Amino acid sequence: MTRQASPPTQTHPDQTTLRRALSEIKAGRFEPMLAVLRPYAKLDDPQVQTLLGLCYAGTYEPRKAAELFCATATKNPLAQHPLQDLSEIMVALDRREDVLPVCREALKLTPKDARVHETLGGMLGQMGQFDEALEILREAVALRPNNTLAANLLAMVLAEKGNMEEALDVLHTVKEEHPDHAGTLSNIGCVLSGMGQLEEALDFYRRAITYRPTNAQIRLNHSITLLKAGRYAQGWAEHEWRFKLPGHTSLPPEQLMPSLGPNTDIRDKRILITQEEGLGDTLMYLRYIEPLARRGAIPHLWVPDTLGDLCRRVTGALEVQVGGSTPEYDWHCPFISLPRVFAATEDAMGAAVPYLKADPDKVRYFSGFMPRNRKLNVGLVWGGAPRPNLVGPYMVDRRRSMNLSTLAPLASVRGINLISLQKGPYAEQMMDPPENMVLYDPTDDLHSMDDTAALIMSLDVVVSVDTSCVHLAGALGKPVLMMDRYDNCWRWLHNQTTSPWYPELRIIRQKAPRAWDGVVQEVTHTLEQMVKQKRKAGR
């Protein structure tokens, strides 16, 4: 008699295989990893089941993903739900929409699991679907009334929607029950800072720091409010806590450039100045390169390609590098740390405007793009860089940017030419402009910030939301009307219409969250006055 062979015993994948699977999943390669992991589907292993669930979610099988996630989560009701892992991965891949069906299936399977509500509500809030997000998060709070996470998420979505007072009410209720919860205290500070109540906000941040003195995010938020209040010296020092967060720099902390004192000798020291966050930050802090060189240092700027040519004309920029590997240096310093370096010197505000210069040949070239009708040439920017793979910048962009249709009243201003400076996704809105709006569009010829700088020199004024174009035009010494969001960036201080950084900048700010109509009305009136002045001057 022939004996039938037994089926092979299912083995467990080794940790190398699991780490590789997670890395590939984070890169969006769900289908190949599903093939790798499927042979282990019957293993009772939370790590394997979670990875399989991620693969099913990424290959558009939300029910299978939810079943695996919920089975894993039910075994450990106090742990973070696997849906949160899915949320973070999909945000990084700009696939937020694909989180929602998995969460909805999970709700059907485990309707009483507050963690599912929290993940779904948080994602809906990120996507601007505020009403449903609030409904879901209120259910989460009802399911776990003593849980600080659900209530804090609810408050943050309320604040994001613009219901600041209601957000504070929620947070204060949590504070009464959990007076030592640093996250709640910090979030109260965040909402108050957005409302411009800076001293009260700072008090709550200080209380949060008492309980969590080494929490880098709380310390960074504290620094932003200090800077918004104009407390620069303390704010710059506190802002260095950002290095404790991932992604800011891979360079060694022991070689970070120290703050300059009266007797600090930096002659012949090679300072590697590095790009850290957005283009606007770099454009703002290029003002410190000339003071560095004046002290005998050798500034070596390492910048993105779009800034290369512009940076080469900055006084004192002895070396400008685009791409490549880390060069030799004595100290390194991200652009955002330069104000801290100079805080105790006579150059605390850097070189005077204009510290950027456009290419004369390009200025002549782009002047040919301007209409020859003696009208006021107005550069226009209505949207920033969305950066959808990052939570914070993505949500800020929704508040600082607007739809081109919101600027429809500008079409009624007689005596102006509207010149688009808009790049990126928002530029697509020019395909359907407001009625009677004529937009000149030279942006196909703008391949770098150096090109944009040359075009700006032929404009009379730049009208922009809070983007890198504001910094570029301001640093060139050109007039700017900045349309600012209610919870403005610290750079523009609080309750100010001018800026110590850019003398030709005028700030026109929302009076309430997401309320652009009053801003556009004031911009319209200001442009009308500028037209009258131009005509009176006979230009």
Side-chain angles (χ1 to χ4, degrees):
M1 173 184 275
T2 304
R3 192 167 182 173
Q4 191 171 11
S6 300
T9 303
Q10 190 176 36
T11 59
H12 193 287
D14 58 34
Q15 285 301 309
T16 300
T17 299
L18 294 178
R19 283 195 298 269
R20 172 175 165 261
L22 179 58
S23 177
E24 293 288 299
I25 286 168
K26 287 182 176 180
R29 291 185 277 273
F30 297 100
E31 195 164 341
M33 288 305 99
L34 183 57
V36 169
L37 294 168
R38 191 178 275 130
Y40 308 106
K42 293 184 179 180
L43 286 178
D44 185 18
D45 183 296
Q47 189 176 8
V48 172
Q49 296 300 309
T50 297
L51 290 172
L52 271 168
L54 294 172
C55 290
Y56 281 125
T59 53
Y60 307 103
E61 296 191 68
R63 180 70 182 188
K64 288 184 178 180
E67 288 173 348
L68 291 174
F69 289 153
C70 291
T72 299
T74 302
K75 294 174 183 176
N76 194 348
L78 299 180
Q80 176 176 286
H81 201 287
L83 281 170
Q84 187 59 39
D85 299 319
L86 175 67
S87 174
E88 292 168 5
I89 288 170
M90 291 306 199
V91 164
L93 295 171
D94 189 19
R95 288 182 57 179
R96 286 176 174 82
E97 286 283 355
D98 296 324
V99 178
L100 302 185
V102 184
C103 287
R104 297 192 197 285
E105 291 293 339
L107 271 186
K108 295 175 186 175
L109 294 167
T110 54
K112 299 299 184 182
D113 192 333
R115 296 171 296 174
V116 179
H117 293 76
E118 290 161 1
T119 303
L120 177 57
M123 184 56 64
L124 288 166
Q126 283 188 41
M127 296 170 66
Q129 299 179 33
F130 297 126
D131 290 341
E132 186 181 1
L134 293 172
E135 180 183 350
I136 293 289
L137 289 171
R138 286 191 173 102
E139 291 176 14
V141 172
L143 287 167
R144 292 205 291 183
N146 290 320
N147 183 265
T148 58
L149 175 60
N152 273 268
L153 282 171
L154 173 62
M156 291 299 99
V157 172
L158 284 166
E160 184 72 13
K161 187 181 180 183
N163 299 359
M164 316 291 263
E165 294 289 354
E166 191 176 351
L168 284 177
D169 289 342
V170 171
L171 290 169
H172 280 298
T173 298
V174 178
K175 178 179 69 69
E176 293 304 313
E177 298 174 357
H178 305 276
D180 58 351
H181 188 255
T184 300
L185 296 170
S186 178
N187 283 336
I188 293 174
C190 182
V191 176
L192 289 169
S193 183
M195 297 170 69
Q197 299 178 30
L198 304 184
E199 292 305 316
E200 193 175 352
L202 288 170
D203 180 59
F204 275 96
Y205 279 128
R206 284 190 288 267
R207 290 163 65 182
I209 290 169
T210 299
Y211 294 110
R212 297 287 298 277
T214 60
N215 184 293
Q217 189 61 61
I218 292 175
R219 300 298 294 259
L220 180 59
N221 291 346
H222 177 226
S223 77
I224 290 169
T225 300
L226 286 167
L227 293 170
K228 190 173 181 179
R231 299 186 185 181
Y232 290 137
Q234 184 184 357
W236 296 129
E238 187 80 344
H239 207 60
E240 300 291 83
W241 275 91
R242 70 191 188 281
F243 291 126
K244 300 293 184 180
L245 297 172
H248 279 278
T249 182
S250 59
L251 299 175
E254 64 271 14
Q255 285 183 267
L256 179 66
M257 187 176 184
S259 299
L260 295 175
N263 301 314
T264 307
D265 185 0
I266 59 172
R267 286 175 295 179
D268 300 322
K269 297 292 186 183
R270 183 174 294 273
I271 316 298
L272 178 62
I273 314 296
T274 55
Q275 172 86 7
E276 186 178 340
E277 293 185 359
L279 295 178
D281 294 313
T282 298
L283 292 167
M284 181 174 180
Y285 303 130
L286 280 166
R287 67 184 68 233
Y288 291 101
I289 303 306
E290 188 274 332
L292 269 180
R294 187 164 16 93
R295 285 167 167 78
I298 305 170
H300 183 125
L301 281 58
W302 195 4
V303 297
D305 181 61
T306 189
L307 292 177
D309 289 340
L310 188 65
C311 288
R312 291 184 182 98
R313 283 192 303 280
V314 172
T315 301
L318 299 185
E319 295 189 40
V320 176
Q321 175 180 340
V322 171
S325 56
T326 306
E328 293 185 1
Y329 59 89
D330 294 298
W331 285 319
H332 69 86
C333 185
F335 277 97
I336 302 176
S337 288
L338 286 170
R340 185 264 303 160
V341 168
F342 282 93
T345 75
E346 68 275 14
D347 292 305
M349 299 298 289
V353 170
Y355 55 86
L356 297 184
K357 303 177 183 66
D359 183 327
D361 292 333
K362 287 185 177 181
V363 172
R364 285 189 289 274
Y365 171 75
F366 281 105
S367 67
F369 287 76
M370 295 298 106
R372 304 295 180 182
N373 54 17
R374 305 186 70 178
K375 293 182 180 181
L376 192 78
N377 289 325
V378 180
L380 199 59
V381 183
W382 56 92
R387 290 190 276 182
N389 59 327
L390 299 171
V391 176
Y394 176 71
M395 296 174 77
V396 166
D397 182 66
R398 275 213 314 269
R399 301 196 299 273
R400 69 165 172 174
S401 298
M402 65 176 75
N403 194 290
L404 177 59
S405 62
T406 308
L407 293 170
L410 299 188
S412 67
V413 181
R414 306 183 69 174
I416 67 172
N417 300 309
L418 292 174
I419 318 292
S420 175
L421 298 173
Q422 183 66 55
K423 301 283 280 185
Y426 290 94
E428 298 173 7
Q429 296 172 9
M430 283 188 286
M431 301 298 292
D432 185 25
E435 187 176 359
N436 299 323
M437 178 178 281
V438 177
L439 262 176
Y440 295 87
D441 182 18
T443 56
D444 284 346
D445 285 81
L446 300 180
H447 304 296
S448 69
M449 278 292 184
D450 198 48
D451 296 337
T452 305
L455 178 60
I456 285 174
M457 294 307 294
S458 293
L459 300 174
D460 294 294
V461 62
V462 171
V463 175
S464 176
V465 293
D466 185 3
T467 67
S468 57
C469 269
V470 168
H471 295 278
L472 180 59
L476 291 165
K478 297 294 290 186
V480 183
L481 299 178
M482 187 180 74
M483 302 176 289
D484 202 14
R485 69 182 195 265
Y486 174 77
D487 57 324
N488 62 287
C489 174
W490 68 263
R491 290 165 182 80
W492 316 123
L493 302 174
H494 171 63
N495 204 27
Q496 300 294 313
T497 59
T498 59
S499 168
W501 302 100
Y502 304 114
E504 297 299 318
L505 172 67
R506 178 179 171 188
I507 302 166
I508 303 173
R509 184 166 294 136
Q510 291 176 341
K511 299 295 191 294
R514 303 180 184 275
W516 286 116
D517 289 351
V519 173
V520 176
Q521 184 179 3
E522 189 170 345
V523 169
T524 301
H525 175 73
T526 302
L527 291 176
E528 290 171 343
Q529 295 304 308
M530 293 180 73
V531 169
K532 291 179 182 178
Q533 292 170 6
K534 184 179 179 75
R535 288 172 177 166
K536 187 175 180 180
R539 294 185 286 133

